[in-house]
Amino acid sequence: MRKLLIRSAVFLGGFGFIAGSVLFALAYFTVDIPDANAYVNSQSTIIQYSNGEEIGRVGTQNRQIVPLAKIPLNVRHAVLAAEDRNFYSNRAFSVTGILRAVVNNLRGGSLQGGSTITQQYAKTAFLTPSRTIQRKIKELVISIKLENQLSKDQIFESYLNTIYFGRGSYGVMTASQQYFNRNVDQLTNSQAAIIASILRSPGLYDPAFKKGNLERLQARFDYVKEGMIDAGWLDKDAAAKMKFPTIAPRSTSGQLSGPKGHIIEAVTKELAKLGFSQDQLLVGGLVIKTTLDQRAQQSAVDAVNKFYPSNAPENLRIGLVAIRPGTGEIVALYGGRDYLQRQLSDATQSIALAGSTFKPFAIIAGLEQGIPLTSMWNGDSPQTFDDLGKPYIVSNYGDEGWGQVDLMYATKHSINTIFVPLGIKVGPAAVVDVARRAGIPESVAMIPTPSVVLGVASPRVIDVANAYATFAAQGIKSKPYLVSQVIGSNKGVLYEGKQETQEVFSKEVMADLTYSLKGTITGGTGAAALALGRPAAGKTGTSQSNASAWFSAYTPQLAASVALFRDSASESLNGIGGLTSVTGGTFPARIWTAFMKGALKGEPVMDFPAPSNIGGLDPVVMTSGGKQKPKP
């Protein structure tokens, strides 16, 4: 039995060796060395509209070829110290490194180990970043062929001109320019050590990328310096003079210019939340399909350009976000005129006083408590209300008094002295609860006081757009998202976007709300949107002291919010575009209408559900709880 086992082991071992040799030989004769330049042109991450047309690229290669003779010795030695100190004496691949990788793989880890510079060049220039046995075999074959066909200097030169250093730079020349604003032949020993340290993983070592990287880079810098000393490339006196250098701040490229830069930035941030690393985005050769509609996005840019106020102050901000109701798909996003001039997105990051765009939350709270649109209120101005024992004076726009009118009429004309008592009647906490359910996130501070209904909170444009998308979807709230699909370099699907929805309001309440908001457009403050030529519902919003102006509205197919504001709530919009006061019914409503015309071109005209008439059609006189303040 013992002899049988020994013979079987020998046979299996011999068979395995022969089979492995045959497979390796087959791979050797079938795997060719690809064109290195093809790699550089194929590894960008491409961001697309929903129809597959390209928006832009992340990691578009920035590379300048430098002959090895023009790359100074201190740079070459620093890279060798960091990555492969025995490069000029060792073979194409490291046997011990491969054995460690195999053992690690058998234990359930990924296939990684101590690669030589030749292996790294083969891997980064010709192969996908996947860690599989098949890819490792190809890496070994290409490495052997490289060393059979090229000299060590040729391989090292190609490596130094091809390897990715972060910040969109390939090769030591562009890396030197990115990190130190100088050419490679001007790098000091310290700067050369930094360049060599970062190339291992720019996402982990570039201090401008994320917190914690600086500390890792400092440790790596010391490691490289000690390696240069050990190899005899740097004496201790010179090493003692090496101080950690100042690294240039991260700069953007022309790929991010204009409004599309805000889209690319928003997409990369969403991908980061989904677990895709910066290195994957910059060298992974991914294709990112977004939810953005190309026609709608162009319409957003055209609408803002068309109605951008003339002679506007430099810090005028305009944000626009459009969301498909019931799905959360962001269809259009306008975050600013030029990302290179200002990196803060006015669609997804900037905040502004919400103004009267919050009044629908009070209408919903009232409908849920049985208060009908036919309820009658006192719309005189000004009035004084009780705010936890303190007098709260409320005036209407232009201090106009409207007398006794119903809630439907008050919505059309955005009458403050009716909405404040409505909020008091239902309870400010109920108004806040409705806003949260609609889609205003917890990050937006809202205090349950009588003023909450007048939009004293400061949301982002995307927050308000999402809330109105909930109205358009008849009470279905969705989580907004931009990335619908991520395709890997091997054409496999790495991620598929998922809709996250929740029913938060009844269809009956939404039908009545929409009926009231249709009145804002057909005979109220949002009349500019009548030019759309199809049923729409929405609300204008003008905050205190004219610090911001909004128009948020929807059709059954699409919801969008447009806001104008400046950098601070203390800065007024008064006088911009020749207007004494910039209200939501002016520039915001015009931009919204022009955008929707283009975005919905060719789409069927749809109407909203009929009103449910919650609380009946009979007028119900409500007590406001306010005392009219006599006019002087």
Side-chain angles (χ1 to χ4, degrees):
M1 178 62 71
R2 185 178 177 184
K3 289 182 178 180
L4 181 61
L5 289 173
I6 293 173
R7 288 177 181 174
S8 298
V10 170
F11 174 78
L12 290 173
F15 178 79
F17 176 77
I18 293 171
S21 299
V22 171
L23 289 173
F24 188 82
L26 183 63
Y28 188 87
F29 289 109
T30 56
V31 174
D32 295 322
I33 300 177
D35 177 12
N37 289 322
Y39 155 73
V40 175
N41 293 324
S42 67
Q43 297 304 295
S44 301
T45 286
I46 301 172
I47 299 175
Q48 299 177 336
Y49 290 106
S50 58
N51 64 359
E53 290 294 316
E54 184 175 321
I55 299 173
R57 298 190 177 206
V58 177
T60 297
Q61 281 70 15
N62 177 21
R63 183 175 69 147
Q64 288 179 248
I65 301 297
V66 186
L68 188 65
K70 292 189 177 182
I71 299 174
L73 279 174
N74 66 339
V75 176
R76 287 186 253 171
H77 289 157
V79 172
L80 290 170
E83 298 299 317
D84 187 359
R85 297 173 192 179
N86 300 313
F87 168 70
Y88 278 95
S89 60
N90 65 18
R91 297 179 179 178
F93 57 88
S94 168
V95 176
T96 56
I98 292 172
L99 290 175
R100 284 198 303 271
V102 171
V103 171
N104 184 55
N105 186 249
L106 292 174
R107 289 176 176 175
S110 58
L111 196 63
Q112 53 187 348
S115 297
T116 65
I117 278 179
T118 305
Q119 284 177 265
Q120 289 184 49
Y121 173 56
K123 176 174 61 179
T124 58
F126 308 119
L127 301 167
T128 67
S130 63
R131 289 169 174 167
T132 62
I133 291 176
Q134 291 89 338
R135 190 206 51 82
K136 200 70 177 178
I137 291 173
K138 285 185 177 181
E139 176 190 314
L140 296 180
V141 169
I142 292 173
S143 298
I144 293 169
K145 285 192 170 187
L146 283 170
E147 291 230 334
N148 286 339
Q149 297 177 23
L150 304 174
S151 69
K152 286 284 190 178
D153 277 353
Q154 287 174 314
I155 293 171
F156 195 31
E157 178 182 298
S158 296
Y159 172 81
L160 290 173
N161 282 297
T162 305
I163 200 72
Y164 179 65
F165 285 85
R167 301 192 181 187
S169 60
Y170 289 80
V172 290
M173 176 60 86
T174 50
S176 302
Q177 294 165 348
Q178 280 289 326
Y179 289 98
F180 298 108
N181 296 320
R182 65 188 66 200
N183 290 340
V184 67
D185 58 357
Q186 298 173 308
L187 293 179
T188 65
N189 287 341
S190 295
Q191 292 167 341
I194 289 293
I195 294 291
S197 299
I198 285 175
L199 73 83
R200 183 184 187 186
S201 178
L204 284 176
Y205 294 106
D206 182 355
F209 182 57
K210 63 182 177 183
K211 290 182 179 180
N213 281 14
L214 178 60
E215 291 76 15
R216 280 189 287 271
L217 180 59
Q218 288 169 336
R220 182 77 175 162
F221 173 78
D222 291 337
Y223 168 81
V224 172
K225 185 167 63 173
E226 290 301 319
M228 292 175 73
I229 295 172
D230 292 344
W233 297 321
L234 184 69
D235 62 54
K236 291 187 178 180
D237 289 339
K241 296 177 182 178
M242 289 174 62
K243 305 298 181 184
F244 194 86
T246 300
I247 299 172
R250 190 180 179 192
S251 61
T252 56
S253 67
Q255 186 67 220
L256 295 172
S257 62
K260 74 173 181 179
H262 289 288
I263 295 174
I264 294 172
E265 181 69 8
V267 170
T268 57
K269 285 184 176 180
E270 187 165 314
L271 287 167
K273 290 180 181 178
L274 295 172
F276 290 89
S277 69
Q278 182 77 350
D279 288 354
Q280 280 179 289
L281 298 185
L282 294 175
V283 297
L286 307 179
V287 175
I288 314 297
K289 184 165 284 189
T290 71
T291 57
L292 294 169
D293 181 272
Q294 186 177 16
R295 182 177 60 191
Q297 181 61 34
Q298 188 59 54
S299 182
V301 174
D302 292 345
V304 174
N305 288 341
K306 181 178 181 180
F307 290 105
Y308 199 92
S310 59
N311 300 319
E314 190 175 318
N315 68 348
L316 175 66
R317 312 301 178 198
I318 300 180
L320 181 154
V321 176
I323 296 175
R324 200 180 310 282
T327 70
E329 295 169 314
I330 299 174
V331 174
L333 185 152
Y334 182 93
R337 302 183 91 174
D338 188 354
Y339 177 85
L340 295 183
Q341 296 296 319
R342 185 171 188 263
Q343 284 74 58
L344 191 70
S345 171
D346 296 320
T348 62
Q349 294 175 299
S350 298
I351 59 174
L353 292 170
S356 296
T357 57
F358 266 39
K359 285 176 180 173
F361 302 141
I363 297 174
I364 294 171
L367 290 168
E368 289 184 333
Q369 296 181 26
I371 298 175
L373 298 178
T374 54
S375 57
M376 304 293 294
W377 303 79
N378 176 14
D380 291 336
S381 176
Q383 294 186 48
T384 303
F385 301 93
D386 177 67
D387 183 4
L388 299 177
K390 297 179 182 180
Y392 175 41
I393 301 173
V394 178
S395 301
N396 294 326
Y397 181 75
D399 202 24
E400 186 171 4
W402 297 88
Q404 198 80 359
V405 295
D406 62 25
L407 184 55
M408 182 76 183
Y409 190 88
T411 304
K412 284 184 181 182
H413 299 282
S414 200
I415 303 175
N416 294 339
T417 56
I418 288 179
F419 274 92
V420 168
L422 171 63
I424 294 172
K425 182 77 173 178
V426 299
V431 177
V432 172
D433 173 64
V434 167
R436 296 287 187 221
R437 281 189 280 154
I440 304 299
E442 294 290 338
S443 59
V444 178
M446 288 187 288
I447 302 173
T449 63
S451 63
V452 71
V453 72
L454 298 183
V456 293
S458 297
R460 304 169 301 169
V461 176
I462 192 172
D463 301 328
V464 178
N466 193 41
Y468 279 68
T470 301
F471 305 158
Q474 300 181 56
I476 305 297
K477 179 176 74 173
S478 305
K479 182 180 178 181
Y481 70 101
L482 262 175
V483 178
S484 63
Q485 191 179 63
V486 178
I487 301 172
S489 58
N490 61 354
K491 309 304 180 186
V493 176
L494 303 180
Y495 170 79
E496 199 80 56
K498 297 177 182 178
Q499 298 176 10
E500 297 182 33
T501 61
Q502 178 186 4
E503 185 173 2
V504 292
F505 304 119
S506 72
K507 291 182 179 180
E508 291 76 17
V509 167
M510 290 295 98
D512 279 8
L513 171 73
T514 296
Y515 182 66
S516 70
L517 296 182
K518 282 176 67 177
T520 298
I521 294 172
T522 56
T525 56
L530 271 175
L532 178 60
R534 61 173 71 213
K539 187 73 188 71
T540 55
T542 308
S543 64
Q544 189 174 10
S545 302
N546 202 201
S548 59
W550 297 70
F551 189 69
S552 301
Y554 54 95
T555 67
Q557 300 107 310
L558 193 61
S561 184
V562 178
L564 271 71
F565 50 92
R566 298 177 72 179
D567 287 344
S568 169
S570 63
E571 296 179 282
S572 175
L573 298 174
N574 289 342
I576 290 178
L579 300 179
T580 303
S581 178
V582 178
T583 65
T586 59
F587 292 111
R590 295 168 197 166
I591 292 171
W592 183 93
T593 305
F595 159 69
M596 292 293 270
K597 275 186 176 181
L600 295 175
K601 186 177 181 180
E603 295 290 322
V605 176
M606 299 175 66
D607 207 343
F608 298 105
S612 301
N613 300 317
I614 292 173
L617 295 173
D618 296 329
V620 180
V621 178
M622 308 296 291
T623 56
S624 68
K627 298 178 181 179
Q628 185 178 0
K629 183 179 179 180
K631 296 182 180 180

